[in-house]
């Protein structure tokens, strides 16, 4: 996805699943939205700010993503 403020929905959390998201050139801010009732470190969304931002997430269980 591209465009400032674009929302990207994560796949469902599943214990042990890992996911890395990195913004490419000229993407702008992107919002990562947890699927269904999942959370990302206690929230339902996180914002990656501008080009080059990155995050690695690991699912602790079937509903919780943690940022590492």
């Amino acid at each position: 996805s591209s465009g400032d403020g674009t929302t990207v929905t994560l796949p469902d959390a599943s214990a042990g699943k890992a996911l890395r998201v990195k913004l490419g050139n000229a993407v702008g801010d992107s919002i990562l939205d947890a699927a269904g009732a999942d959370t990302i470190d206690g929230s339902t969304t996180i914002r990656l700010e501008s080009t080059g931002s990155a995050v690695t997430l690991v699912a602790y269980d079937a509903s919780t993503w943690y940022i590492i």
Side-chain angles (χ1 to χ4, degrees):
S1 294
S2 64
D4 194 35
T6 298
T7 299
V8 177
T9 302
L10 298 175
D12 291 331
S14 177
K17 184 185 286 186
L19 179 64
R20 179 164 167 78
V21 179
K22 181 180 184 303
L23 300 184
N25 293 335
V27 171
D29 290 4
S30 289
I31 298 165
L32 300 183
D33 186 23
D38 291 355
T39 61
I40 307 167
D41 268 348
S43 182
T44 58
T45 63
I46 60 172
R47 177 182 291 269
L48 294 183
E49 295 183 357
S50 196
T51 301
S53 293
V55 65
T56 300
L57 305 164
V58 173
Y60 174 75
D61 53 25
S63 63
T64 309
W65 288 102
Y66 285 100
I67 300 170
I68 58 168

